[in-house]
Amino acid sequence: MIDVLGIGFGPSNLSLAIQLKELAFFNDKKVRFFEKKKSFSWQPGLLLPNTNLQIHFLKDLVTLINPKSPFTFINYLKEQGRLSDFINLNVSYPSRMEFNDYLFWAANKFEDIVSYNSYITDIEPKYDGIQVSHFKVTYVHDNIPNEIETRHLVIASGRSPKIPSAFFQIYDGINVIHSDQFTKSEVHKIASEYNLKDHKIAIIGAGQSAAEIFLYLLESKNPNLKVVNFIRQFGYSPADSSSFRNKVFDPDFVDVFYNLPSEAKNNILESLLNTNYSVVDPDLISKIFTKLYHMQHFDRSNNGTIVSLSEIKNVIRNSENKIEIEYSSKINSKVEKQEFDYIVLATGFEQAFLYKKYFNKFKDIIQYGNDSNLEVNRDYSIKFKKCSEAKLFLQGYSEMNHGIADTLLSVMANRAFTIATSLIGGNKN
């Protein structure tokens, strides 16, 4: 029996590991993390050059809780010998590649408590009389099935790619991929190597990932690469990252949001969609517009196109293994078709798998609200119908309870600290 088992070892559970270490939890408790990847990585499919983090570097793994921690981004820069150079960059938002390197640097310090190449197949609540006392977790490590029992669980295994229904039947991870696979895909290889072959690629989506991939492909080394970005609205919508708006990502706002009635929470979430969903950084929008302007008016090239106000009607794979997209215009309802070699779905993520994969044996004890969403305590533990000594915490799945920042890095350190202090016994629900 161990004390805490973390499922997933990305930034969220890495931050938790740091908090537990700095609170001396490891001194007399047993902690383990399982990660399905073979080594630490953070969004490897989206690590494109010239892409930046969308939060301030001080919102790292630990700074907002303990600025003196040796695990801060600033200390990472100091240890790498580039703190002065970073200061001279005069940026608040480091490159995504540098932040990934920072996370990798921190993760390496916890290799003794992480089992990589491990995935969960089942979680079962165990009882002492009528009370949940602990959990039995079935997992596979290096292709060998095994079991472990733990007093508490922390799930932070990320969300699953969202595949629109029109593409579900032809999705193969080769010609049709999700954006989270991009840098590992054939599409990325085609764009990264100089060649003269004709390729036509469609990007579905209007958010940050779609825009980043679109610009990357527009700057391809292949002069015969044609790229079309289908989006539902009229052009990209700029992300609202103004100072007052950004206060919704402050850790203090979690308390405000959590204590609101459900209707108020829903209204606020809807009003804040333009801070996070289907929006693009204004400077990236400007770069894309400039690139398309020069392609059209100076290069006389139509290799980059944005099809705005479009609705995908039907998608088929033809006998030549090409993908035909049938779409209509929201302006005049005119239906057109285009044929593509590759499709990139920059369509976001969902968490439906959370219930299907992990909670099959929790149906009788999990508490749901009137809106059918999981009820989650302030300390990020799931509310059970029955008494429970054991706690099951969620990291990144509680937007409806804790606010729009819950799926982002912004509150990562504070959330981990809340969970850590709850595990120690210093936090109330």
Side-chain angles (χ1 to χ4, degrees), residues 383-411:
K383 289 185 178 180
F384 290 146
K385 295 177 182 177
K386 299 185 177 183
C387 294
S388 177
E389 287 185 346
K391 289 189 174 184
L392 196 166
F393 298 92
L394 300 179
Q395 294 219 64
Y397 308 106
S398 189
E399 184 179 278
M400 299 302 297
N401 293 277
H402 290 79
I404 198 165
D406 193 63
T407 60
L408 309 175
L409 298 177
S410 297
V411 296

Side-chain angles (χ1 to χ4, degrees), residues 296-314:
Q296 179 182 353
H297 297 291
F298 293 94
D299 299 336
R300 308 299 180 189
S301 168
N302 63 351
N303 284 4
T305 308
I306 295 176
V307 182
S308 299
L309 296 170
S310 60
E311 191 76 38
I312 305 296
K313 309 296 289 185
N314 191 34

Side-chain angles (χ1 to χ4, degrees), residues 156-200:
S157 54
R159 295 173 295 163
S160 55
K162 185 177 182 180
I163 310 299
S165 57
F167 295 89
F168 193 78
Q169 294 297 323
I170 65 167
Y171 182 81
D172 60 2
I174 302 172
N175 297 92
V176 183
I177 66 167
H178 192 269
S179 57
D180 76 330
Q181 301 170 287
F182 181 72
T183 60
K184 301 178 181 179
S185 69
E186 187 70 22
V187 184
H188 180 261
K189 184 178 179 181
I190 288 169
S192 302
E193 299 175 354
Y194 179 80
N195 64 74
L196 296 175
K197 292 182 180 179
D198 292 333
H199 293 287
K200 193 173 180 182

Side-chain angles (χ1 to χ4, degrees), residues 6-14 32-47 100 103-104 107-108 111 113-120 139-143 156-161 180-181 183-184 349 353 357-358 397:
I7 299 176
F9 198 64
S12 294
N13 268 346
L14 171 56
R32 197 81 203 161
F33 294 93
F34 289 153
E35 169 54 53
K36 66 181 178 181
K37 299 187 184 77
K38 293 182 179 180
S39 61
F40 183 88
S41 62
W42 173 63
Q43 298 183 339
L46 290 171
L47 287 179
N100 178 68
L103 295 174
F104 185 81
N108 278 345
E111 285 193 327
I113 60 169
V114 183
S115 295
Y116 290 101
N117 201 27
S118 302
Y119 62 91
I120 308 303
Y139 66 97
V140 176
H141 172 63
D142 289 342
N143 298 319
S157 54
R159 295 173 295 163
S160 55
D180 76 330
Q181 301 170 287
T183 60
K184 301 178 181 179
F349 299 85
F353 82 101
K357 182 174 181 179
Y358 297 128
Y397 308 106

Side-chain angles (χ1 to χ4, degrees), residues 53 55-60 73-74 86 91-94 99:
L53 203 64
I55 63 167
H56 197 286
F57 67 83
L58 290 178
K59 292 183 176 182
D60 59 19
F73 180 73
I74 291 176
F86 181 83
V91 299
S92 298
Y93 306 96
F99 201 77

Side-chain angles (χ1 to χ4, degrees), residues 255-323:
D255 285 317
V256 175
F257 186 89
Y258 184 83
N259 292 307
L260 292 173
S262 294
E263 185 177 355
K265 288 180 179 179
N266 292 334
N267 290 338
I268 289 175
L269 288 174
E270 185 175 351
S271 71
L272 294 175
L273 290 177
N274 68 337
T275 64
N276 188 40
Y277 293 106
S278 297
V279 290
V280 181
D281 285 345
D283 61 338
L284 179 56
I285 295 175
S286 179
K287 288 178 183 177
I288 291 174
F289 191 89
T290 301
K291 178 64 178 178
L292 291 175
Y293 176 87
H294 281 274
M295 288 175 69
Q296 179 182 353
H297 297 291
F298 293 94
D299 299 336
R300 308 299 180 189
S301 168
N302 63 351
N303 284 4
T305 308
I306 295 176
V307 182
S308 299
L309 296 170
S310 60
E311 191 76 38
I312 305 296
K313 309 296 289 185
N314 191 34
V315 183
I316 63 169
R317 191 186 296 271
N318 64 26
S319 57
E320 298 177 352
N321 203 33
K322 304 279 187 178
I323 298 105

